[in-house]
Amino acid sequence: MEIKAVFFDIDGTLVNDSRTVLKSTEQAIHSLKQQGILVGLATGRGPFFVQSFMEQLDLDFAVTYNGQYIFSKEKVISAKPIDKTSLRHLIQYAHQHKIEISFGTKSGMVGSKIMSFGMSKFSQWTSRFVPKKMTHLVNKGFNHVISKALPQQQNDLFKSIQEPIYQVLILATPRETQSIEADFPNLKFTRSSPFAADIINQGMSKLEGIKLVGKEYGFDINQVMAFGDSDNDVEMLAGVGMSIAMGNGTSRVKEVAKHTTSSNSQDGIHKALEHFGILASEKVFISSDHHFNKVKEFHGIMDECTQEEPILWTTEGARHRAGFKVEELVEFLRAASPSEEIFNQSVQSLHKAIDKASDKVKQKSNAEMSLVGQVDALIDMLYFTYGSFVLMGVDPERLFEIVHQANMGKLFPDGKAHFDPVTHKILKPDDWEKNYAPEPAIKKELERQIQAYQRNCEKNEE
């Protein structure tokens, strides 16, 4: 997959917990730009907030206010303010329910003084130490106690919406947000904070904003890599070609992203770009095939080294590898056999197929050690495997991750892999079946795919 543009969320992603950009991230962005890859931001923050990052990192563009306001170095690409009627209704709702509310303009946040403080660097830093269970009490304190000392004036709020408003911020927990959302079906609610919800136009999101940038700069959504950590990143990460969840991200983000890297304070951005071969690694080569990279990670840990230069398999090594594959083929036949008799017939058929294939290959060429021949055969096997999944209607993406995690559980208590002295196959620790066997997770994932297909059918019938 060719990556033409990379987008970063800011809070919890581009910046670390001290609200600064890591040196490794700066170096990564510089390397991306040297390669001609476009780099931008996709954030719930406003344009006034991101300007310093644009200048510091020499970024190409920014999708701000969750897609509502998009600009580049040269111009405003798109600006879609919220309609005045909706804004007036939001003000009336907030006043009636005594909820703090704030408005995002091109140049800043207006409205709630309390929420302006909440957007400050100090407040963002301290909020990390508030347990999730306490967010409701904190919100209640702001909305019902502190707001009495610093009440919002409805007339002032009406005056503030005379200029274009691109996003509304309302102080509400996720549960409270659901109730508010029901009264405003024409608006979209999303969140990057446990304390407040972002309100934007229906149909807009970071993903839609990235699509608009793509039209302007000539790249497709499948050529985009995006990094995020919060729930307002879910749609973006689910829609781009390559999505990366930060290690400090929410469970929803990690569920939809194709890859999870380390945290925003542990060089997560640099490590992910290295992992996918977008940044050159000094130690090892990284493929753009992320499945290959996961298997390489496995062998790097189990074998305590990796092969960096293309080499031939020896005859003995090839026999071992072929033996592993034959065992999986026999398991495949077993799972396709309704009885022992039919299974035995299938195994005999496999023996005949091997003899037939041997005769065919002998006629094609003379026996010789050939790197090209080995690679050609293995690629064909890989292609046939994907073909089998295609014909089954099964998506192997998550299944591969399940098996990878199971294989990573094969380390013994001494922290090393143990090998069968004859077959050289990696052995399983005693607790592996109990703690790592992949079959239950595979079954759950297949059930999810079947249910997704059935829901699709039901929607098409409606």
Side-chain angles (χ1 to χ4, degrees), residues 73-193:
K73 295 176 183 177
E74 298 81 21
K75 63 178 182 178
V76 175
I77 296 172
S78 174
K80 299 184 177 181
I82 299 172
D83 69 276
K84 302 298 183 187
T85 301
S86 294
L87 292 171
R88 284 192 289 271
H89 288 165
L90 282 167
I91 292 171
Q92 291 164 354
Y93 185 97
H95 180 74
Q96 180 184 350
H97 293 84
K98 296 182 173 56
I99 298 174
E100 290 289 311
I101 194 169
S102 195
F103 303 107
T105 71
K106 177 183 176 182
S107 56
M109 296 297 296
V110 296
S112 170
K113 293 182 176 64
I114 294 170
M115 292 183 75
S116 295
F117 168 74
M119 296 285 283
S120 68
K121 291 183 178 180
F122 173 76
S123 180
Q124 291 285 314
W125 179 78
T126 55
S127 69
R128 295 186 295 117
F129 302 103
V130 179
K132 288 185 178 180
K133 293 181 180 179
M134 296 289 290
T135 55
H136 176 73
L137 292 176
V138 173
N139 279 32
K140 187 174 181 181
F142 276 125
N143 279 324
H144 301 294
V145 179
I146 299 175
S147 60
K148 289 182 179 179
L150 295 168
Q152 285 193 293
Q153 300 299 320
Q154 197 172 15
N155 288 338
D156 291 341
L157 291 174
F158 281 128
K159 287 179 184 177
S160 67
I161 65 170
Q162 290 177 1
E163 63 179 309
I165 302 299
Y166 298 98
Q167 181 169 276
V168 178
L169 205 62
I170 192 163
L171 198 64
T173 63
R175 181 177 295 179
E176 291 167 340
T177 300
Q178 290 179 357
S179 176
I180 301 168
E181 193 172 0
D183 290 330
F184 295 91
N186 61 316
L187 296 174
K188 182 175 181 177
F189 288 67
T190 184
R191 60 193 310 121
S192 57
S193 162

Side-chain angles (χ1 to χ4, degrees), residues 405-414 416 427-438:
Q405 294 302 324
N407 284 336
M408 294 298 285
K410 291 180 180 178
L411 288 175
F412 276 69
D414 61 5
K416 295 183 178 181
L427 300 174
K428 299 171 183 175
D430 292 338
D431 64 348
W432 187 87
E433 290 291 341
K434 178 182 176 182
N435 297 327
Y436 298 102

